[in-house]
Amino acid sequence: MSTAAVAKRASTLRGATLPKWSSYAIVAGAIVLGVAIGLVGGLDSKVQWGLIAGLLYVLGTYVIAARVEGRRQAKDRVATSLVWVSFVIAVVPLVSLIWVTVSRGVKVLDPYFLSHSMGVVANADTGGGAYAAIIGSLEQVGLATLIGAPIGILTAVYLVEYGRGRLAKAVTFFVDVMTGIPSIVAGLFILSLMLIFDMQPFGFAGSLALAILMMPVVVRSTEEMLKLVPNELREASLALGVPKWRTILKVVLPTSIGGITTGVMLAIARIAGETAPVLLLVFGNPFINNNPFEGAQSSLPLFIYQQYADSAGANAAYDRAWAASLTLIAFVMILNLVARGIARWKAPKTGR
């Protein structure tokens, strides 16, 4: 049989398929129909329009694919369309949040706002800035990281490399419990200690509460990263006579340093926005206090809360709250970029 005949026979066995641009056409049609149904039905919310368009996209994909390609291929396309719809549903709120924060935060976000504190400026007045809150957040989160990250990493190393028996099971259980602990509970725990020893609010007390919230996240993420390290690497190192502690230090940890760093950054991002422990333990301070071990301090989440709650409808306070929110988002974003750079720099080289 000639090559042309084989190609002709193969083409007759291949079923009809939709063109590549069909998905875009179905999306466009679903959006148009969704908007039309929303307008005719008197639906004011754009979210409702989007949900209707997403439902029409999934149904339209199945109907058109079933008529052209068959039900089996239609089910595959529906699964793909559900993935895309879920992705859009997840991304839209994030993009909307960032857009609103940036558009409102840039009104007063300037060098003056970043380098001045509120001081004697009332919340309803213009002026002032978040310098004291920025200093407080950096010191409190930094101290919490110095406490929580090493303890969390060492605990994960114990659970993966040494943990056996009842003690390891007990540690795992309490880590699971602490993962879901409300932040206000951690703040109340430290507050009870402060009341016992008759202590006044100070920044380091907030760091202790944040460290409690940070440790279980670091333990869980580090534990999963250590489990991904192949046992062959450990066995090869031990076969060469290297002690176990040195194998962990020189082989296991460097191999998983990227994932560990990412987990620590996620934990920092989680505690950076906590307000309840800071409100109880740090108390807030409109003036600059660079000493976290003495006197009340402020922080960006607490600053945002106070500006919004005590504004009495003043636009200046709202603008400062949005600017502080944008500053907090930028702070977390910069931390993640730095972490990714460190993880890539310290990652083991895979090239030959």
Side-chain angles (χ1 to χ4, degrees):
M1 185 179 294
S2 64
T3 305
V6 172
K8 183 177 181 180
R9 182 184 178 92
S11 63
T12 58
L13 293 176
R14 186 184 301 120
T17 58
L18 291 172
K20 295 182 178 180
W21 51 264
S22 60
S23 298
Y24 302 102
I26 297 173
V27 169
I31 294 175
V32 172
L33 289 177
V35 173
I37 293 173
L39 293 175
V40 173
L43 301 177
D44 297 330
S45 176
K46 303 298 188 298
V47 176
Q48 294 175 329
W49 296 7
L51 293 177
I52 294 173
L55 180 61
L56 292 175
Y57 169 64
V58 175
L59 294 177
T61 299
Y62 179 79
V63 172
I64 296 174
R67 291 180 63 87
V68 177
E69 300 176 334
R71 292 186 177 180
R72 183 175 181 180
Q73 187 65 22
K75 293 179 181 179
D76 178 75
R77 288 187 176 273
V78 166
T80 304
S81 64
L82 287 174
V83 171
W84 277 107
V85 170
S86 301
F87 170 74
V88 172
I89 292 175
V91 168
V92 167
L94 176 61
V95 174
S96 176
L97 173 64
I98 295 177
W99 172 259
V100 172
T101 305
V102 172
S103 61
R104 297 191 178 186
V106 296
K107 292 181 180 180
V108 296
L109 184 61
D110 52 20
Y112 176 86
F113 177 81
L114 298 176
S115 59
H116 288 75
S117 62
M118 293 300 295
V120 296
V121 179
N123 288 336
D125 297 338
T126 58
Y131 179 76
I134 295 173
I135 294 298
S137 285
L138 291 176
E139 292 180 349
Q140 294 158 27
V141 173
L143 290 172
T145 303
L146 291 177
I147 297 171
I151 295 176
I153 293 174
L154 293 175
T155 302
V157 170
Y158 165 76
L159 292 176
V160 175
E161 304 294 338
Y162 298 98
R164 300 292 184 273
R166 294 182 180 180
L167 180 59
K169 292 180 180 179
V171 172
T172 302
F173 172 75
F174 283 110
V175 168
D176 292 336
V177 172
M178 290 178 62
T179 303
I181 189 174
S183 59
I184 190 68
V185 176
L188 287 174
F189 172 71
I190 301 299
L191 180 62
S192 63
L193 297 179
M194 292 175 59
L195 294 177
I196 292 174
F197 294 101
D198 193 22
M199 304 174 68
Q200 297 298 320
F202 62 108
F204 185 66
S207 299
L208 293 176
L210 295 179
I212 294 175
L213 299 173
M214 181 181 187
M215 282 187 286
V217 180
V218 176
V219 171
R220 273 287 162 259
S221 59
T222 304
E223 188 177 1
E224 295 302 322
M225 290 301 104
L226 294 178
K227 289 180 180 178
L228 294 177
V229 178
N231 286 327
E232 289 78 4
L233 295 178
R234 298 180 176 89
E235 294 171 356
S237 178
L238 295 174
L240 294 174
V242 180
K244 188 170 185 177
W245 68 269
R246 196 171 184 85
T247 299
I248 296 172
L249 189 63
K250 295 296 185 179
V251 177
V252 177
L253 290 178
T255 303
S256 56
I257 188 64
I260 293 174
T261 306
T262 302
V264 172
M265 290 301 106
L266 290 175
I268 294 176
R270 191 229 163 159
I271 65 174
E274 292 291 347
T275 307
V278 178
L279 182 61
L280 289 175
L281 306 172
V282 180
F283 202 68
N285 189 355
F287 296 94
I288 300 173
N289 179 14
N290 294 323
N291 185 4
F293 300 99
E294 182 180 359
Q297 275 192 319
S298 183
S299 69
L300 283 173
L302 182 58
F303 179 84
I304 296 168
Y305 169 77
Q306 290 175 336
Q307 291 297 310
Y308 186 83
D310 302 334
S311 61
N315 292 329
Y318 286 153
D319 292 340
R320 286 193 294 266
W322 283 109
S325 302
L326 182 57
T327 304
L328 184 59
I329 292 176
F331 170 68
V332 175
M333 185 179 298
I334 291 173
L335 281 178
N336 279 274
L337 292 176
V338 171
R340 289 181 179 273
I342 294 175
R344 181 171 296 184
W345 174 43
K346 291 294 185 179
K349 303 298 184 292
T350 57
R352 294 181 182 270

